[in-house]
Every structure is written in structure tokens, then in C-alpha cells.
Amino acid sequence: MARLFGTDGVRGVANVELTNQVAYRLGQAAVAFLGKTIVVGKDTRLSGDMLESAMVAGIASAGGTALLAGVVPTPAVALLVRKLNAAGGAVISASHNPPEYNGIKLFDAQGFKLPDAVEDEIEAFVTGGGLEARGPEGMPQGDDLGFAVPLKDANEIYVAHAVSSIKDQGIDFEGYSVAIDAGHGASCQTSPEAFRRLGAEVHVINDDYDGTDINVQCGSTHLEPLRAFVAEKGADIGVAHDGDADRVMLVTPEGDEIDGDVMEAVMAVDMKARGVLANDTVVTTVMSNLGFTHAMRDAGINVVQTKVGDRYVLEEMRASGYSIGGEQSGHMILLEHNSTGDGLMTAVQFMAAVKRSGKSVAEAAAIMEKFPQVLVNVKVSDKEAVVDSDVVAAAVSEAEAVLGDDGRVLLRPSGTEPVVRVMVEAASQDDADRWARKIAEVIEAL
């Protein structure tokens, strides 16, 4: 059977793969493994109410208290766990996935995602039948049953936290025009309000929802509507969130994309100038553009790379005491401000860095020059044979020798498909295409 937990919690088509029974048992597990008080939030999907009810029933059946935050961004739940001294948190969301999907991710008492070992224990609990598997004596009864408590000001706590993080720096956004695509998701009530309180002129699209439109041709994975909206309003910057607003993508007035690499570069240089960049180091993944590494080197900033996935970025940050890390996709972790990826916090901190620089958004984003990047997926029968092949290694070495400091090669076996991903970056598009194709041909021949 496939592992219940993926790279970001439990996820699947709601009511088919992610069933009420799974949600119910995950609610029980939250109490059994984290503690009695669990903050529960959700995004705007139609299935959110159903899965929330099932999960809260599980929490109550295990003798826990569910603090119902309602529709809130994922980073709001991580923050609320700490603010309310809860034992843990649960978010019912499938992030950037289509509306028919949903997911459940858990946070510990510090607002951090759970390590693999704990997820494995929870998975064994869920697949083993939950508390019911222990028999009647294992089920709380009478006065030992739990209950649910609605939280009236969940979004307000989150918005106020983001706003104060900027005002504490003596900055506001007076004179800026900001266009926001809320993606029919959880940021509808938070990001526009935060930017308004910071003095910006705010324009918003896709800030309503009906449960079936989240992420549909909008938000951080579909920037075309935002580009048009920025141009229409003459905005200084465009801000786009995914469904649960734990990530953000930005666009310039000219419509150019500002991805996680660029955001991290701008903020890291600003943090170093202010003396708050821990160990003068940033954390990113192996998929970060080579231009990011060069820009950081030129700025005197060290780069540490991890496996793909924001959880691995966070693990490295916590282990080594680093303060900023992120991914190209717009997952950015700023540990001074929150314990998980936070799209709103990233957007306001980026804007603060831009304002301090005295540059326009486009000028600030020019801090790094992206290298052409080519990704080729090669279907194989044996991924390990490819990785261990001397012939493939020789092809990679040849490419790296020719490309030198102006290029790189990365081979990544897929974790879910019979595919090896060949990624090549080079100073020119032709070089990237040529070497990616040549290495792919060697793998196919093997």
C-alpha cells in the first residue's frame, strides 16, 4: 500500500481517497500523538466542511478540544498554535491542487510540520483502526469526551501579526499600488486586508469562492489573470497565492514573474544589510536556479542546498540556525516571523526590502540573472541502474567540464514515477538544450 503521508501531509480526491474515516482517525491521532488541544483550519474547498466535521469528531472522540479557526491560510494555523499555546494544529487543504482534491497536514506545538518518524507512527495508528482498535476500554466516555470551540478572531490574529512585522521596522506601503489574486482560496480575507492596513492601494481579483473554483485558472500557478490585472490597474506589483496561501508568486508591472529564487535573493541581501541574516547563509533546494547561487556569491552570502521540498529546507534551517530558506515555487520560510511557508509574510517582507532599496520592483528583481534551465523526463525501467551507471556519470562529467562555472547538471530519480529527471542549466539556451538532450539520449540507450 502507498504511504499515507506524502511530502505535505495526507492528500487525495475528497470522499474517494481522502475519506471521512481517514479524517476521523487523523483527528484521534492528533490528540493521541500531539495533545489535547488542536487548532483546526481549512481552505475554501467544498469538501472542507465535510472533512472538518469528521476530523473534529475524531478529536472529540479522543477526548480533545478542537479550536475551529474556519477558513484561514495554512500559516495562520501554525501561528495560532503558538499564540494559543495549543498542543498542535491541523489544516484541511490540498494547497495548489484542483478543487476535487483535499488534504490534511499536521503541526506540532511549535507550529512545525511533523517529522517522517512521527508521521509513520500516525499512519500505523490510522491504518490500524484508530482508538477503536483498542476496544471499548480505549475509548473515552462520559465526561472524558471532548468538544469544539469556534475561534472568532483567527484571521485577525494572523493579519495583525503580518502588519506588525512591517510596522516594527518603521515602514509602510503608502504610495504603492498592489494587485492581488487570492485564487478563490484562504487568502481572500487576509492578504488584501494586511496590505490595506500597511497603507497600500489594493486591487483584488478572485477574492470570492463557492468551493469549486479554488486554484482554477488563477492564483500562483496561473499568473495570466494577475498579469492582465496588474496592467489594467497600473499596479506596482502583483501578488498571487495558492489555495492555502502558504506560497506566493509575484509579478512586476511589466508582467515578468518573480519566483521564489528572486524573492529569496532580494530579502537575503536586505537581511544581510540589516544584520539579521543568520550566519550570512540562505537555504534553498537543488532545483534553485544557478543564477541565484551566483547572485548570493557576489553578495557574500553562503548557499546551502537540500532535497526538493520545503520540509527539507526547514529541517536544515532548524538544524543549523539559519533564518531564511525557500523554493522556486514561492514557498518561503522566514523563521523570525513564522514556522512554516507563509505567502503573506513573504510578500510584505519582500515589499519592505524593495522599499528600503529605493528601487522599483523590477529593478530590485534584477538582482539575479536567471540561467536558461532545461528539464527532460526520461522513462526508464530501472532508476537505480541509471544513477549507478558509469556511462551516464561520464556523460554528466563531460557536460560539467564544458559548462564549467556557467552551468550545472542535476539527475533526479522521480519518487513516484519510473522516470529520471535530467536538469541542465547553462549560459545559453542552446547549450542547455544540447547537453540535456545528449545526457537523455545516453540514459535512453542504457
Side-chain angles (χ1 to χ4, degrees):
M1 188 181 80
R3 189 172 187 267
L4 183 67
F5 284 90
T7 56
D8 195 21
V10 178
R11 198 172 293 188
V13 176
N15 217 30
V16 177
E17 297 164 332
L18 179 54
T19 64
N20 287 329
Q21 183 185 65
V22 171
Y24 173 80
R25 289 179 181 171
L26 282 170
Q28 291 185 331
V31 176
F33 290 87
L34 301 176
K36 290 285 190 179
T37 308
I38 307 296
V39 178
V40 181
K42 60 186 175 184
D43 67 19
T44 59
R45 293 164 206 273
L46 193 62
S47 59
D49 290 350
M50 174 189 76
L51 293 170
E52 177 190 54
S53 297
M55 187 165 201
V56 170
I59 291 171
S61 77
T65 301
L67 303 179
L68 304 183
V71 174
V72 294
T74 284
V77 172
L79 176 70
L80 288 164
V81 168
R82 300 194 305 277
K83 292 280 189 181
L84 302 177
N85 295 314
V91 181
I92 301 166
S93 171
S95 191
H96 62 282
N97 287 147
E100 64 270 22
Y101 285 80
N102 217 323
I104 296 175
K105 52 186 128 183
L106 301 174
F107 292 104
D108 65 17
Q110 296 175 283
F112 292 117
K113 293 178 182 177
L114 307 184
D116 289 345
V118 176
E119 287 185 345
D120 288 342
E121 291 183 51
I122 290 176
E123 178 164 339
F125 174 91
V126 170
T127 57
L131 288 181
E132 284 81 355
R134 302 175 182 178
E137 65 280 359
M139 296 292 292
Q141 302 174 40
D143 294 345
D144 292 331
L145 290 174
F147 52 91
V149 179
L151 296 175
K152 296 180 180 179
D153 55 356
N155 276 318
E156 171 58 28
I157 291 172
Y158 176 64
V159 169
H161 174 69
V163 170
S164 65
S165 76
I166 299 302
K167 288 189 173 180
D168 288 349
Q169 299 174 28
I171 281 185
D172 61 41
F173 298 151
E174 291 283 349
Y176 282 102
S177 174
V178 179
I180 300 174
D181 182 351
H184 300 299
S187 66
C188 290
Q189 301 174 45
T190 50
S191 289
E193 178 64 18
F195 274 99
R196 288 190 187 103
R197 291 190 194 181
L198 287 167
E201 178 186 359
V202 177
H203 311 280
V204 194
I205 54 173
N206 302 321
D207 57 336
D208 58 347
Y209 55 87
D210 63 14
T212 66
D213 50 7
I214 186 171
N215 297 321
V216 177
Q217 297 301 311
C218 61
S220 62
T221 53
H222 300 278
L223 294 178
E224 295 78 12
L226 180 61
R227 287 190 175 103
F229 192 53
V230 168
E232 175 191 337
K233 297 299 181 181
D236 296 299
I237 190 170
V239 177
H241 293 297
D242 60 336
D244 68 336
D246 66 346
R247 74 168 75 176
V248 66
M249 294 292 277
L250 308 174
V251 299
T252 69
E254 297 75 24
D256 295 326
E257 176 185 289
I258 301 175
D259 66 12
D261 284 346
V262 179
M263 284 183 264
E264 186 169 8
V266 170
M267 289 187 290
V269 169
D270 175 70
M271 291 169 69
K272 184 181 180 187
R274 292 187 288 129
V276 296
L277 181 63
N279 301 314
D280 283 344
T281 299
V282 296
V283 183
T284 186
T285 74
V286 293
M287 291 303 292
S288 174
N289 191 276
L290 186 59
F292 174 81
T293 304
H294 282 205
M296 294 297 92
R297 179 194 62 195
D298 295 344
I301 296 173
N302 304 311
V303 177
V304 174
Q305 293 188 327
T306 72
K307 294 190 294 184
V308 174
D310 64 310
R311 66 186 301 152
Y312 302 112
V313 171
L314 178 58
E315 285 175 5
E316 179 62 34
M317 292 174 68
R318 294 182 69 189
S320 303
Y322 301 134
S323 50
I324 182 172
E327 296 185 283
Q328 272 184 333
S329 61
H331 276 117
M332 205 64 53
I333 302 169
L334 300 162
L335 278 184
E336 178 186 354
H337 303 294
N338 210 341
S339 53
T340 191
D342 189 332
L344 171 58
M345 185 61 72
T346 300
V348 297
Q349 294 298 329
F350 175 86
M351 282 296 296
V354 169
K355 184 167 185 178
R356 269 189 293 267
S357 74
K359 301 176 180 178
S360 69
V361 170
E363 289 169 340
I367 190 172
M368 61 169 275
E369 182 179 350
K370 290 185 180 180
F371 279 60
Q373 188 179 77
V374 174
L375 181 65
V376 178
N377 294 324
V378 186
K379 290 187 177 182
V380 298
S381 58
D382 188 341
K383 290 179 285 188
E384 296 306 318
V386 171
V387 173
D388 294 336
S389 167
D390 291 338
V391 175
V392 174
V396 171
S397 295
E398 180 187 3
E400 290 176 331
V402 173
L403 295 172
D405 191 44
D406 289 329
R408 68 178 179 126
V409 179
L410 178 67
L411 294 187
R412 286 181 56 234
S414 168
T416 58
E417 304 172 83
V419 163
V420 171
R421 309 191 196 284
V422 180
M423 193 273 283
V424 177
E425 287 176 332
S428 73
Q429 187 69 52
D430 286 345
D431 283 345
D433 287 333
R434 179 163 55 86
W435 286 108
R437 186 169 59 251
K438 184 172 183 178
I439 295 170
E441 288 171 354
V442 171
I443 293 173
E444 288 169 346
L446 181 69

